[in-house]
Each structure stands twice: as structure tokens, then as C-alpha cells.
Amino acid sequence: MHAAVAAADALLAVTATRIDADPATAHHDAVATVRAAVERACRSVLDAAPEIAGVDVLAGSPLLTARLADLQIYLRQHHGGRDLAALGRALVTPAT
């Protein structure tokens, strides 16, 4: 989980620096790439956290279960395969 979140965080920082350096450019592909990386990191957390925490912690930690539920709601904003397909098309289609 740490590696996935750290990688998404690093990509976000690099992308933010590039956007700040050239705010007139739209940066659509870079932003879509960051969103995909964050979505993947969130899914890694949702997959691993319950197993790592165990039943006792999940049952006894309303805060953890609330955070995992919030994360699932956040992920519903990502359009999954549709967003990834659009990113793939943008990356292989020459700019005009």
C-alpha cells in the first residue's frame, strides 16, 4: 500500500510542477495519468487494508470502516475502463 500511494504522490508532485511551469497548456494526458495512478493506489488500499487490519480491527474501528467507505465513494467518481481507454487513445493518437 505504501509503495502505491508513494508512487501516486510522486507522480502528482511532478505533474503539479509541470502544470505550474506551463499553466497555459491543458496537460490533459498528464492529469488523466495522475487520476489513473491515484485510482489504482486507492484500489490497492481497498484490497489490502481489510486483510492487513483483520476482522477484529475492522469490527472495532468505526473510523477505519468509515475511511474505507469514503474511499469507495471517491472511486465511484472515476469512470474506470472508460477513462483508461480515453487515456490510451490520447497517448497513441498523434497530436494535431
Side-chain angles (χ1 to χ4, degrees):
M1 286 188 313
H2 171 73
V5 172
D9 182 56
L11 181 59
L12 179 60
V14 167
T15 303
T17 299
R18 288 180 181 161
I19 291 169
D20 288 344
D22 185 14
T25 300
H27 302 281
H28 292 292
D29 295 350
V31 170
T33 300
V34 169
R35 289 189 70 190
V38 169
E39 187 265 347
R40 177 69 355 234
C42 290
R43 291 202 185 279
S44 294
V45 169
L46 282 175
D47 289 345
E51 185 175 334
I52 292 167
V55 173
D56 291 340
V57 173
L58 286 173
S61 177
L63 181 58
L64 177 59
T65 55
R67 294 293 187 254
L68 291 174
D70 288 346
L71 191 53
Q72 288 176 339
I73 291 169
Y74 168 77
L75 286 174
R76 296 296 177 255
Q77 298 174 47
H78 189 266
H79 300 109
R82 185 177 72 196
D83 286 354
L84 294 175
L87 174 58
R89 280 190 304 276
L91 294 175
V92 299
T93 303
T96 56

